[in-house]
Amino acid sequence: MSIRRHIPSGFATLLPYRVTPTRMACQINRLWAAVLCFGSVMVASSAWSGSGPTALSPLEVIAKWAPLLLRGFAFNIAISLLAMLLGTIAGLWLGLALLSEIKIVAGVSWFVTQVFRNAPWLVLLFFVMFLVPFQVTIFKTTIPLPDWQKATIGFALPVMANVAEVVRGAVRSIPSTQWEAAESLSFTRRQAMWLIILPQCIKRMLPPWMNIYSLVAMSTVLASIVGVSEMLTLTAQVHAAEGGRPELFAPLYGFALLCFFLYCYPINLWTAHLERRFHVH
């Protein structure tokens, strides 16, 4: 209940009780809506199923193959984390090269950033998969390069370009007075960058960095096109193993959609929270 003071009479006025939905409650309602939507798809598929009494229902099929599908989903997450790690490390140095006072370095870095940032992710994935050899021989030692490693490199390339732009934008957003203060304290440009400027950029870079990771996590399903045994590939194999029944198509792929939604949606909420906390616009 809320109390409002009435200025002319000086008496407190008791206002009627009203429940105001909070932001967290709205987000939870959206999450439950997605789960209920998946449940409705499962019920509809079960009602549509008419393959005979011996055939498993969609829920039973998902329960039967869930461990395998979840292992495939964990593989998607592992690829996204590794690609994000490699892309972030390379993107940090590429972003610093964009800010270089040497024109040749800045120009080459700008060209690399624009190429990998504006190229379709699937094209980059095919580019790496077919141009990188299956194995590398170093000093008579053969090192195999499986498809999932090449797919990780393919996802890391656009991450590198996008992280480079995030770094460049964050550094440019720091007031020039910070550079002037560092110069007045006899800091070199490199010392000022690593000790003064970049620490201030972390809170500016974190929300867009998390958005990039969400895109990478969702894009890992593209690896199924090049033969990587991730969740979408295993989902197609499970569907074929169950006889390719039409009523299983929506539940199986709906289960994959639900897994990615339950993983990426909290990241989205956390990103929005950090943007509000750090006042990043």
Side-chain angles (χ1 to χ4, degrees):
M1 298 184 182
S2 57
I3 299 177
R4 182 182 61 187
R5 183 171 297 279
H6 193 268
I7 296 177
S9 62
F11 293 101
T13 303
L14 185 64
L15 297 179
Y17 181 78
R18 183 178 62 181
V19 177
T20 303
T22 62
R23 185 185 302 271
M24 183 60 66
C26 294
Q27 304 295 351
I28 294 176
N29 290 336
R30 294 175 186 174
L31 185 61
W32 275 109
V35 176
L36 291 177
C37 181
F38 174 74
S40 63
V41 171
M42 298 297 302
V43 172
S45 300
S46 299
W48 185 35
S49 177
S51 302
T54 59
L56 297 178
S57 67
L59 283 174
E60 291 173 336
V61 170
I62 291 180
K64 173 184 176 182
W65 295 101
L68 177 64
L69 296 177
L70 291 177
R71 282 199 298 268
F73 179 67
F75 196 34
N76 284 86
I77 301 305
I79 292 176
S80 66
L81 291 174
L82 187 56
M84 198 66 193
L85 176 62
L86 296 176
T88 300
I89 295 174
L92 174 61
W93 292 102
L94 184 60
L96 295 178
L98 288 172
L99 300 167
S100 175
E101 294 181 333
I102 303 175
K103 292 184 178 180
I104 296 179
V105 174
V108 172
S109 302
W110 177 86
F111 178 77
V112 173
T113 301
Q114 297 305 316
V115 168
F116 290 118
R117 189 185 181 199
N118 296 291
W121 288 33
L122 185 58
V123 174
L124 294 176
L125 186 59
F126 275 107
F127 181 84
V128 174
M129 291 295 295
F130 291 108
L131 292 185
V132 175
F134 293 99
Q135 60 185 17
V136 177
T137 302
I138 301 177
F139 300 112
K140 298 182 180 181
T141 301
T142 301
I143 302 175
L145 295 176
D147 289 341
W148 71 268
Q149 292 183 2
K150 294 191 286 185
T152 301
I153 297 174
F155 290 122
L157 292 177
V159 171
M160 174 190 68
N162 284 279
V163 169
E165 278 296 317
V166 170
V167 172
R168 183 195 63 82
V171 172
R172 292 294 189 192
S173 67
I174 299 298
S176 59
T177 53
Q178 297 292 318
W179 291 98
E180 296 171 359
E183 186 178 358
S184 66
L185 294 173
S186 300
F187 281 89
T188 63
R189 178 177 174 82
R190 180 178 298 179
Q191 291 174 333
M193 177 67 75
W194 288 99
L195 299 177
I196 298 176
I197 302 301
L198 285 180
Q200 299 182 62
C201 294
I202 292 178
K203 69 178 183 180
R204 301 168 187 259
M205 294 188 295
L206 191 56
W209 182 85
M210 294 175 63
N211 281 327
I212 295 173
Y213 175 69
S214 295
L215 293 176
V216 175
M218 292 183 290
S219 298
T220 53
V221 296
L222 296 175
S224 63
I225 301 177
V226 293
V228 179
S229 297
E230 45 76 58
M231 188 176 193
L232 209 61
T233 303
L234 295 177
T235 301
Q237 293 175 356
V238 168
H239 187 237
E242 291 294 330
R245 293 157 51 192
E247 66 271 14
L248 295 178
F249 187 84
L252 286 174
Y253 285 92
F255 179 71
L257 177 106
L258 183 65
C259 290
F260 279 95
F261 177 80
L262 292 178
Y263 182 76
C264 294
Y265 188 63
I267 298 176
N268 179 42
L269 296 181
W270 192 19
T271 303
H273 169 72
L274 292 178
E275 288 177 348
R276 293 191 302 270
R277 179 179 178 182
F278 296 147
H279 304 287
V280 178
H281 301 287

Coordinates of all heavy atoms in Angstrom, one line a residue, residues 2 16 30 55 65 72 75 77 91 94 110 132 141 145 150 153 159 165 177 186 188 195 215 217 231 240 248:
S2 N 0.4 2.3 -0.6 CA 1.1 3.5 -0.6 C 0.4 4.6 0.1 O -0.9 4.6 0.1 CB 1.4 3.9 -2.1 OG 0.2 4.0 -2.8
P16 N -5.9 3.2 -2.6 CA -6.3 1.8 -2.8 C -5.1 0.9 -3.2 O -4.2 1.4 -3.9 CB -7.3 1.8 -3.9 CG -7.1 3.1 -4.6 CD -6.6 4.1 -3.5
R30 N 7.4 -14.3 -19.4 CA 7.8 -14.6 -20.8 C 8.5 -16.0 -20.8 O 8.2 -16.7 -21.8 CB 8.7 -13.5 -21.3 CG 8.1 -12.2 -21.5 CD 9.1 -11.1 -21.9 NE 8.6 -9.8 -21.9 CZ 9.3 -8.7 -22.1 NH1 10.6 -8.8 -22.3 NH2 8.7 -7.5 -22.1
A55 N 3.9 -47.5 -31.3 CA 4.8 -46.4 -31.5 C 4.9 -45.5 -30.3 O 3.9 -45.3 -29.6 CB 4.3 -45.5 -32.7
W65 N 15.7 -40.1 -26.0 CA 16.9 -39.6 -26.7 C 17.5 -38.3 -26.0 O 18.4 -37.7 -26.5 CB 16.6 -39.3 -28.2 CG 16.3 -40.5 -29.0 CD1 15.0 -40.9 -29.3 CD2 17.2 -41.4 -29.5 NE1 15.1 -42.0 -30.1 CE2 16.4 -42.4 -30.2 CE3 18.6 -41.5 -29.5 CZ2 17.0 -43.5 -30.9 CZ3 19.2 -42.6 -30.1 CH2 18.4 -43.5 -30.8
G72 N 24.8 -33.3 -27.4 CA 25.0 -32.5 -28.6 C 24.9 -31.0 -28.3 O 25.7 -30.2 -28.8
F75 N 27.9 -29.8 -26.7 CA 29.0 -29.6 -27.7 C 28.8 -28.2 -28.4 O 29.8 -27.6 -28.7 CB 28.9 -30.7 -28.7 CG 30.1 -30.9 -29.6 CD1 31.4 -30.6 -29.1 CD2 30.0 -31.3 -30.9 CE1 32.5 -30.7 -29.9 CE2 31.1 -31.4 -31.7 CZ 32.4 -31.1 -31.2
I77 N 27.6 -25.6 -27.0 CA 28.1 -24.6 -26.0 C 29.6 -24.6 -25.9 O 30.2 -23.5 -25.8 CB 27.5 -24.9 -24.6 CG1 25.9 -24.9 -24.7 CG2 28.0 -23.9 -23.6 CD1 25.3 -23.6 -25.2
G91 N 40.4 -10.3 -31.3 CA 39.7 -9.0 -31.5 C 40.2 -7.9 -30.6 O 40.2 -6.8 -31.1
L94 N 43.2 -6.8 -32.5 CA 42.8 -6.1 -33.8 C 42.2 -4.8 -33.5 O 42.4 -3.8 -34.2 CB 41.8 -7.0 -34.5 CG 41.3 -6.5 -35.9 CD1 42.5 -6.4 -36.8 CD2 40.3 -7.5 -36.4
W110 N 41.7 -2.1 -40.4 CA 40.3 -1.7 -40.8 C 39.8 -2.6 -41.9 O 38.6 -3.0 -41.9 CB 40.3 -0.3 -41.3 CG 39.0 0.2 -41.8 CD1 38.0 0.7 -41.1 CD2 38.5 0.2 -43.2 NE1 36.9 1.0 -41.9 CE2 37.2 0.7 -43.2 CE3 39.1 -0.3 -44.3 CZ2 36.5 0.8 -44.3 CZ3 38.4 -0.1 -45.5 CH2 37.1 0.4 -45.5
V132 N 41.1 -25.0 -45.0 CA 42.0 -25.5 -44.0 C 42.2 -27.0 -44.2 O 41.2 -27.7 -44.3 CB 41.5 -25.1 -42.6 CG1 42.4 -25.7 -41.5 CG2 41.4 -23.6 -42.4
T141 N 55.6 -34.5 -37.4 CA 54.5 -34.8 -36.5 C 53.2 -34.4 -37.1 O 53.0 -33.2 -37.5 CB 54.7 -34.1 -35.2 OG1 56.0 -34.5 -34.6 CG2 53.6 -34.5 -34.2
L145 N 43.2 -32.1 -37.7 CA 42.3 -31.0 -37.5 C 40.9 -31.4 -37.8 O 40.4 -31.4 -38.9 CB 42.7 -29.8 -38.4 CG 44.1 -29.1 -38.2 CD1 44.3 -28.1 -39.2 CD2 44.1 -28.6 -36.8
K150 N 37.8 -26.8 -36.9 CA 37.8 -25.8 -38.0 C 36.5 -25.0 -38.0 O 36.5 -23.8 -38.3 CB 37.9 -26.6 -39.4 CG 39.2 -27.3 -39.6 CD 39.3 -27.8 -41.0 CE 38.5 -29.0 -41.2 NZ 38.8 -29.6 -42.6
I153 N 37.1 -22.2 -35.5 CA 37.9 -21.1 -36.1 C 37.0 -20.3 -37.0 O 37.1 -19.1 -37.1 CB 39.1 -21.7 -36.9 CG1 40.0 -22.4 -36.0 CG2 39.8 -20.6 -37.7 CD1 41.2 -23.1 -36.7
V159 N 33.6 -13.2 -34.8 CA 33.7 -12.7 -33.4 C 34.9 -11.8 -33.2 O 34.7 -10.7 -32.6 CB 33.8 -13.9 -32.4 CG1 34.1 -13.4 -31.0 CG2 32.6 -14.7 -32.4
E165 N 35.6 -4.0 -33.2 CA 34.7 -2.8 -33.3 C 34.3 -2.4 -31.9 O 34.2 -1.2 -31.6 CB 33.5 -3.0 -34.2 CG 33.9 -2.9 -35.7 CD 34.3 -1.4 -36.0 OE1 33.6 -0.5 -35.5 OE2 35.2 -1.3 -36.7
T177 N 40.2 13.9 -21.9 CA 40.8 14.4 -20.7 C 41.6 13.3 -20.0 O 42.6 13.5 -19.3 CB 39.8 15.1 -19.8 OG1 38.7 14.1 -19.5 CG2 39.2 16.3 -20.4
S186 N 53.2 11.6 -17.2 CA 54.4 11.0 -17.8 C 54.1 9.5 -18.2 O 55.1 8.7 -18.3 CB 55.6 11.1 -17.0 OG 55.9 12.5 -16.7
T188 N 53.4 6.7 -20.9 CA 53.5 6.5 -22.4 C 52.1 6.2 -22.9 O 51.2 5.8 -22.2 CB 54.5 5.4 -22.8 OG1 54.0 4.2 -22.2 CG2 55.8 5.8 -22.2
L195 N 46.7 0.7 -18.6 CA 46.6 1.0 -17.2 C 45.4 1.9 -16.9 O 44.9 1.9 -15.7 CB 47.8 1.5 -16.6 CG 49.1 0.6 -16.7 CD1 50.3 1.3 -16.1 CD2 48.8 -0.7 -15.9
L215 N 24.8 -14.4 -30.1 CA 24.7 -14.7 -31.5 C 25.6 -15.9 -31.9 O 25.2 -16.7 -32.7 CB 25.2 -13.4 -32.3 CG 24.3 -12.2 -32.2 CD1 24.9 -11.0 -32.9 CD2 22.9 -12.5 -32.8
A217 N 26.4 -18.4 -29.9 CA 25.8 -19.6 -29.3 C 24.6 -20.1 -30.2 O 24.5 -21.3 -30.5 CB 25.3 -19.4 -27.9
M231 N 23.9 -30.5 -31.8 CA 22.6 -30.9 -31.5 C 21.6 -31.0 -32.7 O 20.8 -31.9 -32.7 CB 22.0 -29.9 -30.5 CG 20.6 -30.3 -29.9 SD 20.0 -29.1 -28.7 CE 18.7 -30.1 -28.0
A240 N 15.4 -39.6 -37.9 CA 15.5 -40.7 -38.9 C 15.4 -42.0 -38.2 O 14.9 -43.0 -38.7 CB 16.8 -40.5 -39.7
L248 N 6.8 -36.3 -35.2 CA 8.0 -36.1 -34.3 C 8.8 -34.9 -34.7 O 9.7 -34.5 -34.0 CB 8.9 -37.3 -34.3 CG 8.3 -38.6 -33.7 CD1 9.3 -39.7 -33.8 CD2 7.9 -38.4 -32.3

